[in-house]
Amino acid sequence: CLILIILSPPFPEYIVAFNGYFTAKARSHFISSALKNSEAVDWRIVPRENPASDFPSDFEVVQIRQAPRHSLLTLEDHPYIKRVTPQRKVFRTLKYTPDRDNHTRWTQKWQSWQSSRPLRRTSLSLASGFWHATGRHSSRRLLRAIPRHVAQILQADVLWQMGHTGSGVKVAVFDTGLSEKHPHFKNVKERTNWTNEKTLDDGLGHGTFVAGVIASMRECQGFAPDSELHIFRVFTNNQVSYTSWFLDAFNYAILKKIDVLNLSIGGPDFMDHPFVDKVWELTANRVIMVSAIGNDGPLYGTLNNPADQMDVIGVGGIDFEDNIARFSSRGMTTWELPGGYGRVKPDIVTYGSGVRGSGMKEGCRSLSGTSVASPVVAGAVTLLVSTVLNRELVNPASMKQALIASARRLPGVNMFEQGHGKLDLIRAYQILNSYKPQASLSPSYIDLTECPYMWPYCSQPIYYGGMPTIVNVTILNGMGVTGRIVDKPIWQPYLPQNGDHIDVAVSYSPVLWPWAGYLAVSISVAKKAASWEGVAQGHVMVTVASPSGNDMTSTVKLPVKVKIVATPPRSKRVLWDQYHNLRYPPGYFPRDNLRMKNDPLDWNGDHIHTNFRDMYQHLRSMGYFVEVLGAPITCFDASQYGTLMMVDSEEEYFPEEITKLRRDIDKGLSLIVFSDWYNTSVMRKVKFYDENTRQWWMPDTGGANVPALNDLISVWGMAFSDGLFEGDFTMADHDMYYASGCSIAKFPEDGIVIAKTLKDQGLEVLKQETAVVEGVPILGLYQTPSEGGGRIALYGDSNCIDDSHRQKDCFWLLDALLQYTSYSMTPPSLTHSKSRVAPPTVTDHPLPERLEGNHLYRYSKVLEAHLGDPKPRPLPACPHLSWSKPQPLNETAPSNLWKHQKLLSIDMDKVVLPNIRNYKPQVRPLSPGESGAWDIPGGIMPGRYNQEVGQTIPMFAFLGAMVVLSFFVVQLTKSKSKPKRRKPRVKRPTYLQQQQQQQLTVG
């Protein structure tokens, strides 16, 4: 009973967002009138006791004991209520490792832990739920903050010598708080608490460290010690927070006119609408937000929100050898999936591994993580803002433009790892201080021939008949918070560089807000180049207008360079089905590998360039051309492709898709399916109470949507079972691991089936019993009977090709399957295997049925609700690209697109710096426990107060000069007032005597 009481959820809480800012009385009246005639029972407005409660707000938190769905809809029907969303709990454990000059050893241990994560073996039963309150799937977490004085390494002291120290800039630190009398900080303007704990102090040390990197004035000095520091305590000592705490704190930051805001937090939920909307509002109010990109590397597609937003400066981490940190999350962004390709993120990278910062009470400590890299950039931004005389020129867009235009590109690293490169503080200063408002693009050019930076685009040439290559470009508008594209972007091919051999289509944001928008460029090969090979170039011309001020306009060029080859043979072309892959955050999609209980939701966006990156690279190395299908199966010409790959599909299929695929396979298209588990009993078992939404979550599919896949392949007498198996085995002399896969329940009698001995993982999950099952069919190969028909290959587990879960890759098996499907070459190692069995026609495991009451229709592109029984939607029209009418140019393209691009109106020579030609960072290592003055030669920073000495260099020099001058004036006066007489010869004092006399005089 005690366990049940602990696990029972509290009353659900909902964030009711309004269309404007209203007083507490008005907000209460709106909610009362909306719920007056509803069936909501025992509802109340949750009181919020924090500094923002004295001001109008744009949201309330409402607690409802019983909240029928139509009651929530009734709330949303109120004219002043914009949206109702569940209150989300932010729960992530802060993990950091102090460094004692053993960072290399720690890194090796950390990498070992990362690589061993999938091997963890723990009980599959936890009380009444398989997974309970992990909080890892949708939370915003403190990104691990885990040695070295970073401000001077980035040459901040060059700007200090010029008198810039962050003065007059308000910087907010949203973290775990700060103690009142910490010796490292001299200008803490305000500390506020937004949690339910009655303290302002930092009980963890994370917030202190972050604040120290930005503004510490002693020991491990920060970038901007004179900045006005605003401390927002939004996490408890147990690292818990709620969306509503952030919303109130964000509103207060807007009220206080904060200039720079650091968020060393993040999470995968980019659909937490109140949070995302409030971030937009913050940046629209000119708050420059800097956020950590995440610690989920080295996997791709693991970016965290809000750092993945266009208006936020997303920061990744590097070590002091300029290597991308293993922990740093990689792009692309996954908001745009499964339709095609994401945007470039992070924006910039900087030191985040083994950085020194302030300790919780005193002294310094060393931490690593993008949680460290973020305040490095936030501190640099704060310092940069203080160098600009006309603060009206500084906004979230202009600052990001300066940072990315000045960044130093790291060699051998692609754009989804480093963004625009490594932070260069001095170059950013030069750019910012000669800046004129303008628009710019990120990336500033498209070069599909430039590897490795333009990976994955450079990894495969384009050809006639292929799926259009889509590059998502971010438009940054430094002219104003809002803007628009004038007329339409213009495609101008360079005729001398064969630009007329490519077609370009452009879609773009109708409104650029706040400070940014998108430009999606689709590139295809013109029919005239079907058998042509070479390089083609041109550029897209975009004009942006902003209504702020004098209706400013800015025109930018987007150079485009591609490599074209002759269309490959059909057998070499593989089409990847992206359209039927779904992912968190819309719904609960469980992990493909049930052993990975520490992170139950499959939030990595399945894509050949994210968690299937290694598989994609392998296929390219084998000579295959891989294309992405971001539309229904009805929208491609099957005669162009040898094999269609469906991997880990969660979506349903339109009836028209099923019909067309059967027809395509009869005409020679082949199909490879990598499935995963689907068992309704296990799905009910793995439900869990989510601390974020305060609701029980039930999976809407298993690892894959096996019932939908069975509908697709049933015409050939094939089906996957609801069995759930796991185990190690050997196939064709290769070691294999089957991770939570299903078995083949039915297969044609003339097909080839391979079976293995595996553990019944379903039984282990449901009854905590272990059983070994012999002869589990896991692989099937089939040649369809129609003349010229295609081939079908089924495998019950996708984990062996998925970077997120892979323990032992099965790329060799994929090669064998493609040899079979594309070239009709049956692998002898499989057909002659001792594991070959008769194809099953009946099975001990029944065919899986869809889980009753699942909510897949809520976020499916195929299903729609229909009187409680979801039905397919009408088949959507295939995407139709409107190709731009070319305006050819008879001019030569620039030879170097990267160096050709720079912000307009930048003249570096006009910005005067101290002589830094031979500058070397002067860093003196601190002794353990050393507490003293600034960590630069002499112990005093020029022009800065030092508590040990009590003087400043300029003042000391001035007083000394005045004393010397007074001495000479007095002596000159005496000599004029006295009669001249011959002085007796005296012995000249020694140098030591002179020094002693001077000290007495000065004293």
Side-chain angles (χ1 to χ4, degrees), residues 541-578:
M541 188 81 73
V542 183
T543 300
V544 175
S546 192
S548 59
N550 300 319
D551 289 334
M552 301 175 66
T553 61
S554 177
T555 299
V556 289
K557 290 181 181 179
L558 178 70
V560 176
K561 183 179 181 180
V562 301
K563 181 179 181 181
I564 300 174
V565 297
T567 303
R570 180 182 186 183
S571 58
K572 285 287 187 182
R573 296 176 63 179
V574 177
L575 187 61
W576 170 275
D577 179 15
Q578 186 67 36

Side-chain angles (χ1 to χ4, degrees), residues 715-982:
V715 69
W716 296 286
M718 301 177 183
F720 290 105
S721 78
D722 70 348
L724 204 166
F725 300 95
E726 178 207 15
D728 295 286
F729 59 91
T730 301
M731 182 186 295
D733 297 327
H734 293 271
D735 292 333
M736 301 279 286
Y737 176 65
Y738 211 68
S740 305
C742 66
S743 63
I744 296 175
K746 295 171 60 178
F747 209 72
E749 293 182 357
D750 53 344
I752 299 171
V753 174
I754 304 298
K756 292 294 178 181
T757 299
L758 300 170
K759 290 186 293 184
D760 189 335
Q761 191 177 24
L763 184 66
E764 185 178 354
V765 171
L766 297 173
K767 299 182 178 181
Q768 294 76 56
E769 298 177 2
T770 302
V772 176
V773 182
E774 296 182 357
V776 179
I778 59 173
L779 173 65
L781 307 176
Y782 178 65
Q783 168 68 63
T784 57
S786 58
E787 184 178 353
R791 290 152 292 282
I792 301 174
L794 306 182
Y795 190 67
D797 178 32
S798 69
N799 288 284
C800 60
I801 58 174
D802 187 339
D803 300 348
S804 301
H805 311 111
R806 188 179 68 245
Q807 295 181 38
K808 300 173 183 177
D809 75 70
C810 61
F811 297 152
W812 70 269
L813 176 61
L814 180 57
D815 291 342
L817 299 184
L818 283 170
Q819 286 288 315
Y820 177 71
T821 58
S822 296
Y823 298 100
S824 191
M825 296 174 59
T826 306
S829 58
L830 297 179
T831 56
H832 300 152
S833 171
K834 296 180 181 179
S835 301
R836 181 173 177 178
V837 298
T841 54
V842 293
T843 179
D844 295 335
H845 289 279
L847 301 185
E849 297 182 357
R850 291 171 177 83
L851 180 66
E852 185 177 354
N854 75 76
H855 299 142
L856 185 63
Y857 65 88
R858 291 182 180 176
Y859 32 82
S860 168
K861 300 181 293 294
V862 177
L863 300 177
E864 64 179 357
H866 183 73
L867 299 177
D869 182 19
K871 301 291 184 182
R873 303 172 187 267
L875 181 69
C878 295
H880 176 70
L881 292 175
S882 179
W883 301 106
S884 300
K885 184 178 180 180
Q887 297 183 8
L889 296 176
N890 192 19
E891 61 182 61
T892 303
S895 59
N896 191 317
L897 302 186
W898 169 31
K899 293 186 178 180
H900 171 73
Q901 289 295 307
K902 62 181 181 179
L903 290 178
L904 301 175
S905 72
I906 291 177
D907 187 355
M908 297 292 191
D909 296 332
K910 293 181 180 180
V911 183
V912 180
L913 284 171
N915 183 15
I916 61 172
R917 178 171 297 177
N918 299 316
Y919 174 85
K920 294 182 180 179
Q922 299 175 340
V923 181
R924 174 175 58 84
L926 283 175
S927 302
E930 179 181 354
S931 177
W934 289 79
D935 186 22
I936 57 177
I940 307 172
M941 188 180 100
R944 295 292 312 119
Y945 183 78
N946 180 280
Q947 292 181 344
E948 302 291 334
V949 179
Q951 299 289 343
T952 61
I953 284 180
M955 184 60 70
F956 185 89
F958 176 77
L959 291 176
M962 292 301 296
V963 169
V964 173
L965 180 62
S966 299
F967 174 81
F968 282 111
V969 170
V970 169
Q971 295 300 318
L972 182 61
T973 303
K974 287 182 179 181
S975 64
K976 287 184 178 181
S977 61
K978 293 181 180 181
K980 293 183 178 179
R981 65 179 181 178
R982 188 174 181 180

